[in-house]
Amino acid sequence: MNPRTPTIPSDTDMLLDMSVLYVEDDKITRKVVVEALTRMMGKVFSAQDGKEGLSAFQRITPDIVISDIQMPHMDGLEMAREIKHLSPDTPVIITTAYNDSELLMKAIATGIDKFLLKPVQKPALREVLLQCASPLFMAKQFRESEVRYRSMMEQASDGIFLSNREGRYLEVNTRGCEMLGFSREEILQFNIRDLIPLEHHAFLAQGMSEALAGKAQLAECKLRHKNNSYIDCEVSYGMLSDGTVMATVRDITARKKAEQALRVSEEKFRLLAENVDDLIALVDTSGNRIYNSPSYQQIFGKIPESGSNSFQEIHPDDRKHIRKIFQDTVASGTGRRAHYRFLLDDGSERFIESNSSTIRDDCGKVAKVVIVSRDVTERHLADEALAASHQRFLTVLDSMDAMVYVADMQTHEILFANRYAQDTFGTDLPGKVCWQILQADQTGPCSFCTNDRLLTPNGEPAGTYVWEFQNTVTQRWYLIRDNAIRWTDGRIVRMEIATDITERKAMEEAPRSSENNLARAQRLAHVG
């Protein structure tokens, strides 16, 4: 979207964004109209005559002015004349009970924008306000958009150039001027062809044609500096909605020099690679090996031959996926992280984690890919063992004849609930908030929550907290054991194990009830 294109608001939003000054000497009329305006406009101010209205305008500068004509001290037309002198673009609406042509001609000569006949009707008032507010609102949005657009242009770390379809520059930011050494006025005299080498003109024509067809372009090229040298640039460009072509230009001279230095120092790279434990490979854009570090000997018992295909040692089940990642890296020039398996000659597997980066030639095209890999088999097996252990832990909890759930101690989100808990509450508990689903009529975390009893002052688990509680949803009694434990993602969570003791509580209550009944009978017998 063109950053300078204003959006179209609703009528209500438009009026709520505006302020209005209403000037009327009749107290009753002023009160009625102000009440109507208050329901329509964002801010409403009032005055009782032209002199007071002019003073209020100078003080608050409203967007729109509505005024009666006949008023003491200063009439509406005189006030409007002064307002138009101060702010010619401020709309002034005159209300009058007379259809006097001479008066109307004076009002028009004063620059009055709209007329309203008294008594003022709300539909007519709203319609006139909308007619005045629409151009004001759009102008305001346009100004704000221009400020944002200019701020974006000037704060950008890259050069931004705008041109028309013929390639004539229309605008450039400060960074673009600094990059090329020209002033803004000088650049606006140029066509794009004036700043690129002659041998790139055909390439430019093709790119511009595709950009005008709506396809965003990304290319590297050279741009002429004011000192007649050429700098290496990366240019992304496309067409905006108004037909303007916008190009973002990044100076990649330093990057190109670094790439050249990398090519020159390839032997240094080789020496470094031969003294690290990571697996370092240099391959061409087809994946054929150019170089492999000696560390490959530790896994394969040999160093893969130069020219061999680097995908042949990858596990067949992972090969297609890794080949796709490699092709994307070559196409985009951006390396990616990958996880896969090597299949060794003895049938064993090794788990590998790799990162890749690209080396470009003088034309900026990806020519080689550097792959740095690490054997993470031991870590992978440890992760699998941890996951299996956690699963066994959950299986044990799931088989318990007690309600067990795990919840985040900060958000109170339920992370796990065993089968007993799911059956008790008849819902899928994970993902729910514990105090909303496990207790009744709660508007926030439970006042009896034990979270603060489960951690030591330094935030470590403090041991088991045992308590009894009658659940407010099931109305059953539970013996509860709460613990703070560390979850698989490393955070400390609350695990609650609640055993139903309703029957035990009833048995404990029976003797007390019997004793109370006996004592009551004895008291009655004594009275008798």
Side-chain angles (χ1 to χ4, degrees):
M1 183 183 73
N2 189 331
R4 292 175 291 178
T5 302
T7 57
I8 300 176
S10 67
D11 291 348
T12 300
D13 290 339
M14 191 186 305
L15 292 180
L16 289 176
D17 193 62
M18 296 287 160
S19 61
V20 62
L21 170 63
Y22 178 56
V23 186
E24 168 63 59
D25 61 326
D26 185 79
K27 184 176 181 180
I28 296 176
T29 302
R30 186 169 65 249
K31 179 180 179 182
V32 171
V33 176
V34 165
E35 288 178 353
L37 288 171
T38 302
R39 288 190 286 270
M40 299 180 193
M41 307 294 287
K43 292 182 180 179
V44 179
F45 306 94
S46 64
Q48 60 185 358
D49 57 53
K51 185 177 181 181
E52 184 178 305
L54 179 59
S55 177
F57 179 85
Q58 293 170 326
R59 185 173 66 256
I60 61 179
T61 317
D63 296 306
I64 301 172
V65 176
I66 304 176
S67 176
D68 188 20
I69 292 182
Q70 302 296 337
M71 294 183 295
H73 305 303
M74 179 185 288
D75 65 29
L77 293 183
E78 186 178 352
M79 180 194 71
R81 189 178 301 108
E82 294 295 328
I83 288 175
K84 285 293 186 178
H85 177 73
L86 295 172
S87 178
D89 295 330
T90 299
V92 178
I93 303 169
I94 288 297
T95 63
T96 177
Y98 306 100
N99 192 5
D100 188 328
S101 60
E102 182 179 350
L103 190 62
L104 294 179
M105 292 301 295
K106 289 182 179 179
I108 293 172
T110 303
I112 300 303
D113 297 89
K114 298 290 180 182
F115 297 91
L116 276 174
L117 290 177
K118 289 185 175 181
V120 176
Q121 302 297 317
K122 292 181 182 179
L125 175 62
R126 178 180 172 84
E127 179 62 28
V128 169
L129 286 171
L130 283 173
Q131 292 174 6
C132 293
S134 179
L136 289 177
F137 190 91
M138 297 303 288
K140 180 179 179 181
Q141 275 203 322
F142 188 84
R143 289 192 299 271
E144 291 174 352
S145 179
E146 280 290 326
V147 170
R148 290 194 298 269
Y149 162 73
R150 177 54 58 185
S151 176
M152 178 193 71
M153 287 275 289
E154 294 307 317
Q155 293 180 16
S157 58
D158 296 329
I160 299 178
F161 296 78
L162 300 180
S163 69
N164 60 18
R165 292 171 174 267
E166 290 71 37
R168 174 67 63 181
Y169 286 117
L170 304 174
E171 189 57 270
V172 59
N173 68 345
T174 301
R175 176 58 186 144
C177 296
E178 293 172 349
M179 189 183 302
L180 301 182
F182 292 102
S183 68
R184 175 177 177 273
E185 290 72 20
E186 289 173 326
I187 290 179
L188 296 187
Q189 299 301 314
F190 292 140
N191 188 286
I192 297 175
R193 298 181 188 84
D194 299 329
L195 296 180
I196 66 171
L198 182 62
E199 59 269 23
H200 289 180
H201 282 194
F203 176 76
L204 170 67
Q206 179 183 351
M208 284 291 288
S209 176
E210 293 183 359
L212 295 176
K215 298 179 181 179
Q217 303 295 306
L218 177 64
E220 289 186 8
C221 69
K222 294 182 179 293
L223 290 178
R224 180 168 64 88
H225 192 274
K226 189 172 183 177
N227 62 13
N228 287 324
S229 66
Y230 283 89
I231 62 173
D232 292 303
C233 297
E234 183 178 74
V235 183
S236 59
Y237 57 100
M239 188 174 68
L240 302 180
S241 58
D242 62 356
T244 302
V245 177
M246 179 175 179
T248 302
V249 179
R250 176 170 297 176
D251 185 346
I252 59 171
T253 304
R255 190 183 82 189
K256 299 294 282 187
K257 289 181 178 179
E259 290 172 355
Q260 179 64 24
L262 179 63
R263 287 188 290 271
V264 172
S265 64
E266 189 170 307
E267 184 59 30
K268 294 181 181 179
F269 158 77
R270 190 189 306 273
L271 293 174
L272 175 65
E274 290 175 354
N275 290 278
V276 297
D277 292 331
D278 285 346
L279 311 175
I280 300 179
L282 182 66
V283 301
D284 63 21
T285 54
S286 297
N288 296 319
R289 299 183 185 278
I290 299 173
Y291 169 80
N292 288 96
S293 64
S295 51
Y296 273 83
Q297 182 86 27
Q298 301 172 12
I299 294 181
F300 295 105
K302 61 181 180 180
I303 300 176
E305 294 182 3
S306 178
S308 62
N309 191 283
S310 61
F311 299 104
Q312 62 187 13
E313 292 89 5
I314 296 176
H315 195 289
D317 294 343
D318 300 338
R319 196 172 295 161
K320 182 178 179 181
H321 173 64
I322 296 303
R323 190 183 293 274
K324 176 65 167 59
I325 291 178
F326 180 81
Q327 291 171 346
D328 290 345
T329 296
V330 172
S332 66
T334 303
R336 290 174 55 185
R337 182 186 297 271
H339 295 83
Y340 53 95
R341 292 165 293 171
F342 276 149
L343 182 61
L344 306 186
D345 292 340
D346 61 5
S348 62
E349 299 176 357
R350 304 299 294 181
F351 291 86
I352 304 298
E353 179 182 85
S354 294
N355 281 297
S356 60
S357 59
T358 59
I359 298 176
R360 299 177 182 269
D361 58 21
D362 292 337
C363 297
K365 186 178 180 181
V366 173
K368 301 172 186 175
V369 179
V370 179
I371 304 170
V372 180
S373 305
R374 178 167 296 179
D375 187 343
V376 294
T377 303
E378 301 305 324
R379 188 184 75 190
H380 177 81
L381 294 177
D383 290 343
E384 283 190 338
L386 177 62
S389 175
H390 182 69
Q391 186 59 45
R392 288 193 298 270
F393 169 68
L394 297 183
T395 301
V396 170
L397 297 182
D398 221 20
S399 62
M400 291 178 64
D401 190 23
M403 182 170 64
V404 183
Y405 76 93
V406 177
D408 186 283
M409 298 184 75
Q410 302 299 322
T411 66
H412 302 279
E413 177 191 356
I414 297 175
L415 307 175
F416 167 80
N418 71 346
R419 185 177 295 107
Y420 189 101
Q422 302 271 31
D423 293 342
T424 299
F425 289 92
T427 185
D428 188 16
L429 295 178
K432 305 285 196 314
V433 176
C434 61
W435 55 264
Q436 291 179 341
I437 199 74
L438 301 183
Q439 300 296 336
D441 302 325
Q442 288 292 123
T443 58
C446 304
S447 60
F448 47 82
C449 182
T450 62
N451 280 356
D452 58 345
R453 296 181 172 89
L454 304 182
L455 297 175
T456 64
N458 60 359
E460 293 299 318
T464 303
Y465 180 78
V466 182
W467 56 301
E468 293 183 2
F469 182 73
Q470 185 178 22
N471 185 270
T472 56
V473 175
T474 65
Q475 300 301 316
R476 299 189 69 81
W477 280 90
Y478 295 93
L479 175 64
I480 301 173
R481 289 178 172 83
D482 286 345
N483 284 276
I485 64 172
R486 195 169 295 278
W487 202 236
T488 52
D489 56 10
R491 58 178 156 169
I492 295 178
V493 298
R494 182 181 83 251
M495 182 177 73
E496 181 165 298
I497 303 176
T499 304
D500 193 326
I501 58 171
T502 305
E503 284 70 21
R504 192 195 79 186
K505 296 291 284 188
M507 293 175 63
E508 291 173 351
E509 184 65 27
R512 286 195 292 271
S513 177
S514 179
E515 290 173 0
N516 292 338
N517 290 337
L518 177 59
R520 182 171 179 272
Q522 288 173 340
R523 288 195 299 273
L524 292 175
H526 178 71
V527 173

